[in-house]
Amino acid sequence: MNDNTDYIDCFKYLPFDDGSLAVLTQGTIKYTRPMRFNDPFEVLPVYPRDPKEIRNQDTKFLDGMIARAVGSKRIPISQRLAMRQKLAHHFANLPGTGGWQEQVFGDMGVCSLSRNPFNILMWSHYAKFHTGFVVGFRMRRLTNQCAESDVGYKMLPLPVHYSKERPKINWSEPTGEMIRKMVLTKSEDWCYEEEERVIEWSRPGEILPYDRDNTLQCVITGAKMDKEPLGRLEEVVANLRETPALAHLALYKAQMSETNYAIEVPGLPEPKQ
């Protein structure tokens, strides 16, 4: 694996099926809309529900919306206050209107990865009871210098933050920061996943290509993978190794520890975090 300090190792747990094999053979990977995740609290922050609180805390935000609505036209202060009041009530009631998540996140796709390839629960939940496999990637961290169009294709991840409290939204926050807070905050109950998320805004669709030649690093077979799928996976990896850009691709086999409740992967280098 590349030892560049700008990189992080992440892993995708997968069942053994044609769609999962396409991650290797076709260089495509699935992105999911946040509303379709298995956690009902996804992208469900705490919003201010008191119009007075919104008027007091988010005056600049409300005035900015009014300015965009009226343009250069001067309006009486009484009309401006009335518009503030109407907007404050609108945003106070927004979370209960239904469909607002689809409006905000309908064009977003998220690819969920993990920093940990050894987790027993994730092997059970996402790799079909340890009969599937894990794909290992090495990718750069997302920074402000990265082009938006590169985020999905080059798989530039962001870490998930785990919290007891749902994120609180202030309407005066920059839109990007507000959305990032919603997408990257989850309950502490999920912390065992050590999740990293690749967020895709610029490309439509759920099954999208990624920069396979420069990110794909290894494949780990499940400890309970049957002989036939194991043989197919070994053949796929062998064929990929014939491509010069993927000659480095490693295949490892997970196994159950003989003494501990643990999954071991002999030969796998320590993941780079």
Side-chain angles (χ1 to χ4, degrees), residues 24 34 39 45-46 48 65 84 86 96 98 118 127 142 145 153 188 216 219 249 256:
L24 304 174
D39 180 359
V46 176
M65 294 198 69
R84 280 184 192 166
K86 184 177 180 179
F118 307 104
L142 178 59
Q145 286 71 45
Y153 181 67
E188 287 184 341
L216 182 60
V219 177
L249 184 62
M256 299 167 59

Side-chain angles (χ1 to χ4, degrees), residues 73-92:
K73 179 182 176 182
R74 299 190 61 164
I75 59 174
I77 185 64
S78 59
Q79 184 179 349
R80 180 178 296 277
L81 291 174
M83 293 179 74
R84 280 184 192 166
Q85 176 78 359
K86 184 177 180 179
L87 284 170
H89 277 276
H90 168 75
F91 285 103

Side-chain angles (χ1 to χ4, degrees), residues 242-266:
E242 294 180 3
T243 304
L246 292 172
H248 64 276
L249 184 62
L251 179 65
Y252 304 101
K253 295 183 180 181
Q255 61 186 35
M256 299 167 59
S257 170
E258 294 184 357
T259 56
N260 299 319
Y261 291 113
I263 291 296
E264 300 171 347
V265 184

Side-chain angles (χ1 to χ4, degrees), residues 1-2 9 136-138 214-219 248-250 252:
M1 290 189 177
N2 191 319
D9 291 328
F137 304 96
R138 176 158 287 188
N214 291 306
T215 56
L216 182 60
Q217 294 291 326
C218 71
V219 177
H248 64 276
L249 184 62
Y252 304 101

Side-chain angles (χ1 to χ4, degrees), residues 188-204:
E188 287 184 341
D189 288 349
W190 295 96
C191 66
Y192 70 91
E193 292 192 342
E194 299 181 51
E195 187 176 356
E196 298 275 337
R197 288 184 166 180
V198 179
I199 301 173
E200 175 61 78
W201 281 101
S202 59
R203 298 180 297 168

Side-chain angles (χ1 to χ4, degrees), residues 131 224-231:
T131 64
K224 299 185 72 174
M225 178 175 274
D226 291 334
K227 184 176 180 179
E228 181 180 349
L230 176 60

Side-chain angles (χ1 to χ4, degrees), residues 85 146 234:
Q85 176 78 359
C146 298
E234 289 175 336

